[in-house]
Amino acid sequence: MRTKRSLLAAAVLFVGCKKEDTPVEPLSSLTPPPLPKLVAAASGHGSPEDARFQVAPAEVYGEPVPAKALRVGLAGESVRLGEERFAPSRPEDQARLRERVKGQAVLLVPDADTFLAQTSELLAVLRESASEVWLLHPDAPVAYALVLRDEQGFQAWLAEVAPGKLRIIQRQDGFELTTSVGKLPGPDANGPSVPVRGGKQDIATLRTGLGKLKGRFTTSEDICLVPSFGMELAQAARALSGVYVAPGEPLFETLCFVYPTPRAPAVAGAPTGR
């Protein structure tokens, strides 16, 4: 009897030791898998060395241009609506423009030289008063419906608890594709996800990269374009074509467009800070 009790106690001790020796899964296993590296689309011309500087051709996709939208032509810090001209930085012009676009769909028609920093007051008026805001592609008869967010609104969007939070950071040297778990790596770990090639935007590779992100974040329905505020609005419009894989077929249903928060108007008698 004593021998059986000893054997039973030894067996219990052995089983207990085996449970304690079972390795615990490391916390690193809970980390999401890294995003895949993005390879530039092949241009199909020249040697592999030359291909680094050649942009692959990319079809321009978007939505049909809304026929009944008010066309607002941009020219620097002034805008044209029909026969009227407005300078949205002036409070009196802001008020007139707000009344003209109230409850209307608006189509922004950028010129080649209007920078995003010059549009902040205009975009703030449109976000407040227009029912829809569209941006016309400068090279093709397609347009993009935008959800406008200023810098504060963009930060509030980022703070929402949701997977993905996908954004295209558009810089002079290329596109940075950023997510809630980091950026999509490109050919240079320290550079943008989609570098400029031969001085041109690489829309084909941008489209490929966004497809990879959609495959990873399948429930994400919105994406934000965050252009450099010193960039031409027309260049930002060209980038939006990369969100589409065919006419009228965007990878993401909602296109958020981030613009600089307008400067507060000067107050008479306020200190200047000098």
Side-chain angles (χ1 to χ4, degrees):
M1 180 65 71
R2 181 176 299 174
T3 302
K4 288 183 179 179
R5 288 178 180 173
S6 299
L7 290 173
L8 181 60
V12 171
L13 181 61
F14 176 72
V15 171
C17 290
K18 285 200 70 174
K19 288 184 179 179
E20 290 179 1
D21 293 340
T22 302
V24 178
E25 194 171 359
L27 291 177
S28 60
S29 65
L30 303 178
T31 304
L35 295 170
K37 185 175 180 178
L38 182 59
V39 179
S43 64
H45 300 285
S47 66
E49 184 70 17
D50 294 336
R52 293 186 304 161
F53 307 101
Q54 296 177 351
V55 174
E59 294 289 339
V60 176
Y61 299 134
E63 303 289 343
V65 178
K68 296 184 179 180
L70 299 177
R71 296 177 74 96
V72 175
L74 281 71
E77 294 184 1
S78 69
V79 301
R80 186 181 68 257
L81 176 53
E83 298 300 319
E84 298 179 83
R85 288 188 175 273
F86 304 84
S89 59
R90 299 175 183 171
E92 61 273 19
D93 280 17
Q94 275 190 35
R96 287 197 303 123
L97 183 60
R98 188 175 292 109
E99 285 302 313
R100 287 285 281 112
V101 302
K102 187 174 182 181
Q104 301 290 324
V106 171
L107 175 67
L108 292 173
V109 183
D111 65 359
D113 302 316
T114 297
F115 295 90
L116 191 62
Q118 297 174 299
T119 67
S120 57
E121 288 85 1
L122 168 64
L123 296 181
V125 168
L126 296 181
R127 188 187 69 167
E128 175 188 338
S129 300
S131 62
E132 299 175 9
V133 178
W134 293 76
L135 180 58
L136 182 69
H137 194 287
D139 310 315
V142 296
Y144 308 98
L146 305 178
V147 171
L148 297 175
R149 290 192 174 101
D150 62 7
E151 295 163 87
Q152 183 177 2
F154 175 57
Q155 292 301 321
W157 176 79
L158 284 177
E160 295 173 357
V161 180
K165 290 300 167 186
L166 311 178
R167 54 256 191 214
I168 308 167
I169 312 298
Q170 187 177 11
R171 312 185 321 210
Q172 294 294 344
D173 61 346
F175 301 106
E176 187 109 318
L177 304 185
T178 307
T179 77
S180 55
V181 295
K183 81 165 190 174
L184 190 70
D188 180 357
N190 298 318
S193 306
V194 185
V196 165
R197 301 169 70 191
K200 297 180 180 179
Q201 293 181 342
D202 190 352
I203 301 300
T205 304
L206 172 63
R207 187 172 286 150
T208 298
L210 293 176
K212 288 179 180 293
L213 293 184
K214 182 62 177 179
R216 172 70 177 272
F217 299 97
T218 57
T219 60
S220 291
E221 294 297 336
D222 56 352
I223 189 167
C224 275
L225 175 64
V226 190
S228 166
F229 295 160
M231 178 171 291
E232 300 90 341
L233 184 61
Q235 288 288 72
R238 291 184 176 98
L240 290 170
S241 175
V243 182
Y244 282 72
V245 294
E249 294 185 20
L251 288 163
F252 306 92
E253 292 301 319
T254 302
L255 303 181
C256 149
F257 189 88
V258 180
Y259 66 93
T261 303
R263 299 184 300 273
V267 179
T272 61
R274 292 182 180 177

